[in-house]
Amino acid sequence: MKGFVRFLPFLLFLALVGALVWRLVHPGSTAVPSHLAGKPIPAFNLPAANPGQPGLASTDLASAKPHLVNMFASWCVPCITEIPLLLRLKGEGAQIVGIDVRDRPEALSRFLAQYGNPFSAIGADSDSAVQLALGSSGVPETFVVDRRGIVRRQFIGGISEADLPEVRAELAEAAK
């Protein structure tokens, strides 16, 4: 019994380490829910970020179709990798609008010319006010907004090939 008591702190330490390792390997959930889910998108009115395209206002999102609202910037490397996927979704009929965060117009023009432009409208969020209002922590981030202007889902980080089925399902649900 005396030997067991002596090893009790060590055994408790091993049990704690084992529990922590288990939780790291098997997290409860990797989804980060948006604080705006189920709420109207915050009111905003952004000027055009790209010549020849309209700016973006929150009222534009309460239309007959759901939208993907993509927060991006020309200086964002993950934004480059998601452009082909956004172009594919656009080709499938998705309505995609962009919010360009803290960017220069000439850098944005080069970015869109080089990688493609999946956006029907792009608003310039030069001071990140809309980004903060949406609770966005960085770029890229994408929000699914239903046809009534209600935020349904937030995708943090770049959209990947593996995310496309979920994005499509969210858009289909948002259309109801």
Side-chain angles (χ1 to χ4, degrees):
M1 181 72 170
K2 221 178 200 185
F4 175 75
V5 172
R6 187 174 13 174
F7 288 107
L8 186 60
F10 180 68
L11 293 173
L12 289 173
F13 174 74
L14 284 179
L16 177 65
V17 169
L20 291 173
V21 168
W22 174 261
R23 194 37 89 190
L24 285 172
V25 174
H26 303 288
S29 173
T30 57
V32 179
S34 172
H35 74 282
L36 289 176
K39 297 178 183 171
I41 196 153
F44 64 86
N45 189 4
L46 295 172
N50 189 37
Q53 276 190 288
L56 183 64
S58 54
T59 54
D60 299 335
L61 303 175
S63 64
K65 291 187 172 187
H67 288 81
L68 288 178
V69 179
N70 183 256
M71 314 267 317
F72 76 104
S74 67
W75 44 263
C76 164
V77 174
C79 296
I80 296 168
T81 61
E82 78 174 354
I83 288 288
L85 300 174
L86 293 175
L87 287 166
R88 188 180 324 162
L89 289 167
K90 177 183 177 182
E92 295 170 6
Q95 300 294 312
I96 305 172
V97 295
I99 298 177
D100 186 32
V101 178
R102 294 190 180 260
D103 219 339
R104 295 183 331 271
E106 60 278 1
L108 174 63
S109 293
R110 282 193 307 274
F111 177 86
L112 296 173
Q114 184 171 358
Y115 301 110
N117 185 351
F119 308 110
S120 60
I122 304 174
D125 191 14
S126 57
D127 60 0
S128 296
V130 174
Q131 181 183 25
L132 293 173
L134 289 170
S136 170
S137 59
V139 290
E141 286 191 26
T142 303
F143 295 83
V144 177
V145 179
D146 73 13
R147 59 190 178 85
R148 292 177 298 281
I150 307 295
V151 175
R152 293 295 169 201
R153 177 73 193 275
Q154 177 180 6
F155 291 89
I156 297 174
I159 292 175
S160 69
E161 187 77 38
D163 293 322
L164 288 181
E166 193 172 353
V167 171
R168 290 180 184 114
E170 291 286 345
L171 282 170
E173 186 65 29
K176 294 180 181 177

